[in-house]
């Protein structure tokens, strides 16, 4: 049986450190996009879209 000295480093495992930042930025981008879509729909509904369907957004 071989003895180990207990020295050295463990293998690097897990996700890269940039992953939480990337996830946060993408979540913020999705929220901004959803807000923009809702804002456009509300403005069109208030002004009347003129598409002739009579559907309200």
């Amino acid at each position: 049986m071989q003895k180990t000295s207990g020295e050295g480093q463990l293998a690097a495992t897990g996700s890269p450190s940039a992953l939480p930042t990337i996830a946060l930025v993408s979540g913020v981008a999705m929220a901004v996009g959803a807000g923009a879509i809702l804002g456009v729909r509300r403005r069109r509904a208030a002004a009347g879209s003129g598409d002739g369907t009579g559907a309200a957004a």
Side-chain angles (χ1 to χ4, degrees):
M1 187 145 75
Q2 186 179 18
K3 289 186 177 183
T4 59
S5 64
E7 295 178 14
Q9 295 183 355
L10 295 174
T13 60
S15 64
S17 61
L19 187 61
T21 304
I22 293 169
L24 178 66
V25 169
S26 63
V28 168
M30 287 180 61
V32 168
I37 290 172
L38 289 174
V40 168
R41 284 188 176 185
R42 285 186 181 178
R43 271 191 266 141
R44 283 189 182 173
S49 63
D51 61 0
T53 61

